């Protein structure tokens, strides 16, 4: 067996080895070879070469499967349109891997399919046609990933590339799927389709499809929120729902692809920033909008003197920290603290000193068994950060780890309240002492907390000034490197995103970090940048920008 083949023909006889160690070694060598643009991919029979890779996708060793998928991605990228004749060979085995138990395998399978579309070897509609059986597959993971891939393709290529009406019945059926993740993903998929096609979808769901009433109400809430927020794309805004007109009179604006700022849209970022608060309330979760509308929904308070302030703060301290008192009395005391700020309490010199006295009671409240107490504590802490900015640093440092630990809670209201509170604190209070707390959470056994840690790391790298981050350059380097290798695909995606934000602050250290990565992780990081999946990793684009060339008369995309 050759140690290091010099061309593709040299690799050909090695691909069929059944020895796992040899197969892994061949895979690593081949990936290094394909990753070098100066190396030729010509061989005597490229079709046979690809045929020999297909069995890798059903191998019992996950790393062999992942290597096989990555090899196909490289071949599709380098061969371009010449890869098209081999699509029929690789498409079904790749789709099957969308249901794999390993996050990394599912992610790499998606990348193969997205690369095939990107290179023009398959249209989005052709992929949708091949995906349809997956929506009814017995494997819940495959059903979920098929929805995610549909959403990603829709956002990358636009609704005018697919006949979406044909797949709506399958998505509606998944709203009642036995798997909670599948149900949630189906709901989010319909919301994303609405962003592209607009009111036509709402009308069809109400008239043509048997949507369970509870689910229909959730969808209507989501649709209304998206419309009110201005998140509908131009094509959706141009739909003439309910209006009968000649085809020649109906001008439709082409749907512009939505370029995402990270990996393909997965199961949603931690604590959604923009979702209908009433929808989330029904689901038991809270979001930033919930916090903002609740911040000042408090009874009025009158302050007459510094002494009066001190006495009221003592009452708040005693109530909030006493878990034997009625929970309503404790939550009302938290609201009273917000009311004191609204009434001008921060103008008194003794306010910050008195605020220190309620620090410990709030730590206790954040771990209370009643979700209502935890929710109100999180809202109040977020409000304190918003109003006090960096004066909240010491308080924030004391509660930050406690809030992070809430994220793994099985109660949605607790988990999302903790997640949103952390986001508010990091957005409004920039303190270098927060960095070690956030980065330490990447060692947590909970993937939810690790994922959140990577998301928050990306957040502070995007919005904090360089001088605050300077003290922890080495820690940030190590954390990004660790995140890129995390077992959770979303944590890895946020870590890769963090790398590019880190590079904006510390280009030399980022280069050193890149050079220290294993070849596979380096390829993953660089292929994300080079593939066109993202244009700017540190700018989140809420909707696509549409140039004049995007506006044209065409057939209705939602057929």
């Amino acid at each position: 067996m050759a140690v290091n083949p010099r061309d593709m023909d040299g690799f050909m006889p090695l691909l069929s080895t059944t020895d796992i160690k040899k197969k892994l070694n061949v895979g690593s060598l081949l990936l290094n070879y394909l990753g070098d643009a100066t190396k030729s991919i010509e061989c005597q029979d490229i079709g046979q070469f690809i045929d020999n890779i297909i069995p890798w996708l059903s191998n019992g060793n996950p790393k062999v499967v992942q290597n096989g998928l990555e090899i196909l991605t490289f071949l599709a990228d380098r061969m371009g349109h010449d890869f098209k004749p081999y699509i029929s060979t690789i498409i079904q085995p790749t789709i099957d891997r969308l249901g794999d138990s390993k996050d990394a395998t599912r992610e790499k399978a998606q990348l193969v399919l997205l690369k095939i579309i990107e290179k023009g070897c398959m249209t989005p509609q052709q992929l949708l046609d091949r995906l349809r059986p997956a929506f009814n597959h017995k494997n819940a993971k495959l059903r979920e990933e098929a929805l995610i891939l549909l959403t990603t393709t829709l956002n990358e290529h636009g609704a005018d590339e697919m006949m979406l009406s044909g797949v709506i019945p399958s998505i509606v059926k998944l709203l009642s799927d036995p798997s909670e993740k599948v149900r949630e993903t189906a709901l989010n998929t319909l919301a994303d389709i609405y962003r592209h096609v607009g009111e036509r979808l709402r009308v069809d769901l109400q008239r043509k499809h048997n949507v369970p009433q509870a689910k229909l109400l959730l969808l209507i809430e989501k649709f209304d929120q998206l419309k009110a927020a201005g998140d509908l794309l131009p094509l959706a805004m141009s739909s003439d729902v309910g209006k009968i007109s000649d085809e020649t009179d109906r001008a439709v604006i082409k749907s512009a692809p939505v370029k995402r700022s990270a990996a393909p849209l997965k199961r949603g970022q931690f604590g959604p920033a923009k979702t209908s608060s009433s929808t989330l309330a029904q689901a038991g979760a809270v979001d930033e909008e919930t916090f903002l509308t609740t911040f000042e929904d408090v009874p009025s308070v009158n302050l007459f003197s510094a002494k009066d302030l001190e006495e009221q703060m003592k009452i708040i301290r005693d109530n909030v920290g006493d878990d034997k008192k009625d929970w309503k009395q404790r939550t009302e005391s938290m609201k009273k603290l917000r009311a004191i700020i609204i009434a001008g309490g921060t103008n008194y010199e003794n306010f910050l000193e008195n605020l220190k006295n309620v620090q410990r009671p709030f730590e206790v409240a954040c771990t209370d068994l009643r979700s209502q107490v935890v929710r109100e504590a999180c809202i109040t802490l977020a409000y304190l950060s918003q109003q006090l900015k960096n004066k909240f640093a010491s308080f924030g440092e004391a509660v930050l780890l406690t809030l992070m630990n809430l994220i793994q809670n099985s109660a949605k209201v607790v988990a999302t309240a903790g997640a949103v509170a952390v986001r508010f604190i990091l957005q409004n209070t920039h303190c270098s002492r927060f960095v070690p707390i956030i980065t330490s959470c990447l060692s947590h056994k909970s993937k939810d907390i690790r994922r959140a840690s990577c998301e928050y790391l990306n957040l502070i790298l995007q919005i904090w000034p360089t001088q605050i981050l300077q003290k922890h350059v080495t820690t940030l380097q190590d954390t990004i490197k660790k995140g890129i290798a995390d077992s959770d695909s979303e944590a890895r995606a946020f870590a890769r995103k963090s790398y590019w934000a880190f590079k904006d602050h510390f280009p030399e250290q980022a280069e050193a970090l890149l050079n220290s990565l294993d070849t596979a992780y380096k390829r993953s990081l660089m292929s994300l940048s080079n593939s066109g999946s993202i244009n700017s990793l540190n700018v989140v684009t809420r909707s696509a920008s549409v140039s004049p060339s995007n506006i044209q008369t065409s057939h209705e995309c939602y057929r």
Side-chain angles (χ1 to χ4, degrees), residues 263-336:
L265 183 63
K266 290 293 237 180
R267 298 136 187 92
Q269 291 186 4
F270 231 73
K274 293 292 178 184
T275 309
S276 170
S277 57
S278 55
T279 301
L280 283 167
Q282 294 178 48
V286 295
D287 66 351
E288 288 185 13
E289 184 180 339
T290 307
F291 275 45
L292 291 169
T293 55
T294 310
F295 277 163
E296 299 189 2
D297 184 14
V298 296
S300 60
V301 168
N302 293 317
L303 292 174
F304 301 104
S305 64
K307 182 66 175 177
D308 184 29
L309 170 66
E310 183 177 348
E311 290 175 355
Q312 295 201 44
M313 291 291 282
K314 282 182 180 179
I315 295 172
I316 292 171
R317 178 197 66 193
D318 294 341
N319 287 340
V320 172
D322 189 352
D323 58 6
K324 294 182 177 62
K325 291 194 174 182
D326 183 74
W327 67 268
K328 291 182 179 178
Q329 186 178 358
R330 299 173 69 197
T331 56
E332 286 302 314
S333 291
M334 296 181 207
K335 292 179 181 179
K336 189 174 183 180

Side-chain angles (χ1 to χ4, degrees), residues 66-83:
Q66 291 164 24
N67 283 347
L69 291 167
E70 202 167 348
I71 289 166
L72 291 177
T73 303
F74 268 116
L75 288 173
D77 186 43
R78 296 195 59 181
M79 291 175 65
H81 200 266
D82 292 337
F83 193 72

Side-chain angles (χ1 to χ4, degrees), residues 77-177:
D77 186 43
R78 296 195 59 181
M79 291 175 65
H81 200 266
D82 292 337
F83 193 72
K84 188 172 184 178
Y86 312 106
I87 297 300
S88 59
T89 302
I90 68 104
I91 186 69
Q92 194 55 52
T94 304
I95 289 176
D96 289 343
R97 294 278 59 80
L98 291 174
D100 197 275
S101 61
K102 299 289 185 182
D103 287 349
T105 302
R106 298 196 300 273
E107 186 179 68
K108 290 180 186 296
Q110 284 220 22
L111 289 175
V112 174
L113 298 170
L114 293 171
K115 181 62 69 174
I116 289 170
I117 296 176
E118 179 190 321
K119 293 298 178 178
C121 300
M122 174 182 277
T123 66
Q125 180 58 43
Q126 289 170 335
L127 176 61
L128 181 58
D129 292 340
R130 297 304 296 261
L131 271 181
R132 285 189 183 185
F135 295 123
N136 299 309
H137 200 277
K138 62 181 180 180
N139 184 339
K141 276 293 181 187
L142 184 53
R143 299 196 298 272
E144 180 188 356
E145 291 292 327
L147 289 167
I148 292 167
L149 183 58
L150 168 60
T151 303
T152 304
T153 307
L154 177 64
N155 289 328
E156 289 288 337
H157 299 280
D160 58 325
E161 297 289 336
M162 293 180 281
M163 295 178 64
L164 293 169
S165 60
V167 78
I168 296 299
S170 297
I171 303 175
V172 168
K173 182 179 178 181
L174 294 178
L175 291 172
S176 303
D177 194 88

Side-chain angles (χ1 to χ4, degrees), residues 286 290-291 294-295 298 316-317 319-323 327-338 341 355 358-386 392 395-396 398-400 402-404 406 413-425:
V286 295
T290 307
F291 275 45
T294 310
F295 277 163
V298 296
I316 292 171
R317 178 197 66 193
N319 287 340
V320 172
D322 189 352
D323 58 6
W327 67 268
K328 291 182 179 178
Q329 186 178 358
R330 299 173 69 197
T331 56
E332 286 302 314
S333 291
M334 296 181 207
K335 292 179 181 179
K336 189 174 183 180
L337 176 54
R338 303 204 298 273
I341 295 175
L355 186 64
V358 300
Q359 181 176 300
R360 178 57 187 163
F362 267 89
E363 290 180 56
V364 173
C366 286
T367 59
D368 197 85
L369 295 178
R370 280 193 174 272
S371 59
Q372 296 97 326
V373 173
V374 177
R375 177 182 181 273
E376 204 62 44
C378 289
I379 290 172
T380 303
L381 291 170
Y383 185 67
L384 286 169
S385 176
Q386 185 194 64
F392 184 71
F395 202 137
V399 298
L400 190 57
T402 302
L403 292 173
M404 288 291 293
L406 295 179
V413 64
V414 172
T416 52
V420 176
V422 173
R423 186 181 295 113
F424 265 100
I425 291 171

